[in-house]
Amino acid sequence: MPLTNGTVTLSSFILMGLPGMEAAQFWLAFPLCAVYVVAVVGNCAVMSIVKAEPALHVPMYFFLCMLAAVDLALSTVTIPKILSFFWFGAREIGYKACLVQMFLIHSLSGAESTILLAMAVDRYVAICHPLQHSAILTNSKTAKIGFVAVARGVVFFLPFPFLINRLTFCGSSVLTHSYCVHQDVMNLACGNRMPNIVYGLTAILAVMGLDSLLIFMTYLMILKTVLQLDSRQERIRASGTCVAHVCVVLAFYVPLIGLSVVHRFGRDLPPLVHITMGNVYLLLPPVLNPLVYAAKTKEIRRRAQKSLRRA
């Protein structure tokens, strides 16, 4: 349903492609499609391997399945629309569709942040309190944490569409990304944006900001415990169990922080910078996460190799 304001009737937004590279967008969509296929196949493979292998039915791998499911949903919410834009010139996205996509992107990102924190806590308990790990992190508690992750993302980011809906739009409807996010849509409004700015910053800090701080503190405690181990071999083995998770955390938070900084302080930067940061934020974690865990986790790697040999 169109949004009507004093000077304009807004029924859709216009997505931004790659400024100065419009002629190449059609061909760039092919590697983008390949990346999407890798993300889908990789994350589906992780979930199916964990499901098929009873030995992997432990909290660490259940969290990994949750992460794969969120990454799969996040890439599916955005990449097909970008491909339709690049291949078929479908630049418009309906007003309601934009709000739905915006909510899903932010809520799924919030859920992923919570799962990454839960995985850090799992590593802390496994390294610092190994004898109590099975009692502290049971499978039922893991399932509850997964529910909390989804609920937390929904609760904190559900107000975003309503905050956008109260704004007036009287200028351009061209977004600076190939998908809808709160900061981008908000910047097109000409009404009072202060509630959006305050709540948007509060939600990001309360979810991603708090989670990243807690993950950092958790790894400080892990590092302290690892350094107190007697043998060098034990220290290497203990720290090695965290390498994959650290890579995944960096792949999620570094682009997120970069994109937030660009949105808040980089309005004078070329549009291509915004587009590049936005695409890295969306594409990097779903593709990288299954590859990192496949490379660093022997059980998943062996099962994947077994499946490939059978095929």
Side-chain angles (χ1 to χ4, degrees), residues 88 106 112 124 137 172 191 194 197 205 209 245 264-265 282 295 298:
F88 309 113
H106 287 291
E112 180 157 353
Y124 166 75
L137 276 173
S172 172
M194 189 53 66
I197 294 171
L205 289 176
H245 183 254
R264 302 290 175 187
F265 309 109
L282 276 183
K298 283 188 289 187

Side-chain angles (χ1 to χ4, degrees), residues 171-190:
S172 172
S173 62
V174 180
L175 299 169
T176 57
H177 291 297
S178 305
Y179 53 86
C180 298
V181 286
H182 177 253
Q183 303 96 316
D184 199 8
V185 177
M186 176 191 71
N187 287 335
L188 297 178
C190 55

Side-chain angles (χ1 to χ4, degrees), residues 31-288:
L32 177 63
C33 183
V35 165
Y36 177 56
V37 170
V38 170
V40 170
V41 172
N43 287 293
C44 287
V46 167
M47 290 188 286
S48 57
I49 287 171
V50 173
K51 181 183 177 182
E53 189 63 56
L56 301 182
H57 292 177
V58 293
M60 174 184 170
Y61 294 104
F62 286 144
F63 286 135
L64 183 55
C65 280
M66 295 176 199
L67 190 67
V70 170
D71 282 337
L72 187 61
L74 190 57
S75 55
T76 300
V77 161
T78 53
I79 297 179
K81 178 60 183 174
I82 298 173
L83 291 174
S84 70
F85 171 20
F86 284 6
W87 273 333
F88 309 113
R91 294 190 64 192
E92 285 192 45
I93 182 169
Y95 177 77
K96 283 189 175 180
C98 184
L99 295 189
V100 170
Q101 187 187 61
M102 176 181 67
F103 164 69
L104 289 173
I105 289 173
H106 287 291
S107 60
L108 288 168
S109 296
E112 180 157 353
S113 180
T114 307
I115 293 166
L116 289 174
L117 173 59
M119 294 173 82
V121 173
D122 174 72
R123 290 299 83 210
Y124 166 75
V125 176
I127 292 172
C128 301
H129 305 283
L131 299 179
Q132 298 160 332
H133 182 265
S134 58
I136 294 173
L137 276 173
T138 62
N139 289 346
S140 62
K141 285 180 183 176
T142 303
K144 289 175 185 176
I145 291 170
F147 175 78
V148 168
V150 174
R152 188 175 180 228
V154 170
V155 167
F156 272 96
F157 297 105
L158 184 60
F160 276 10
F162 298 101
L163 287 168
I164 292 295
N165 207 36
R166 53 169 283 280
L167 294 173
T168 56
F169 295 86
C170 51
S172 172
S173 62
V174 180
L175 299 169
T176 57
H177 291 297
S178 305
Y179 53 86
C180 298
V181 286
H182 177 253
Q183 303 96 316
D184 199 8
V185 177
M186 176 191 71
N187 287 335
L188 297 178
C190 55
N192 178 19
R193 296 180 295 183
M194 189 53 66
N196 295 68
I197 294 171
V198 172
Y199 185 79
L201 187 59
T202 301
I204 293 294
L205 289 176
V207 180
M208 286 77 159
L210 178 61
D211 290 351
S212 59
L213 178 62
L214 291 174
I215 290 171
F216 177 72
M217 292 172 64
T218 301
Y219 270 103
L220 284 181
M221 292 187 287
I222 290 173
L223 182 62
K224 181 181 176 183
T225 300
V226 168
L227 291 176
Q228 289 173 346
L229 293 174
D230 294 330
S231 89
R232 182 171 177 270
Q233 206 167 21
E234 285 180 346
R235 290 195 293 269
I236 292 172
R237 186 167 58 248
S239 57
T241 63
C242 300
V243 170
H245 183 254
V246 170
C247 292
V248 167
V249 167
L250 292 175
F252 178 78
Y253 283 107
V254 171
L256 174 64
I257 293 168
L259 185 61
S260 299
V261 169
V262 165
H263 275 143
R264 302 290 175 187
F265 309 109
R267 292 188 184 180
D268 297 329
L269 291 172
L272 191 59
V273 175
H274 290 258
I275 292 287
T276 302
M277 288 299 300
N279 288 341
V280 167
Y281 164 64
L282 276 183
L283 293 173
L284 189 62
V287 174
L288 193 62

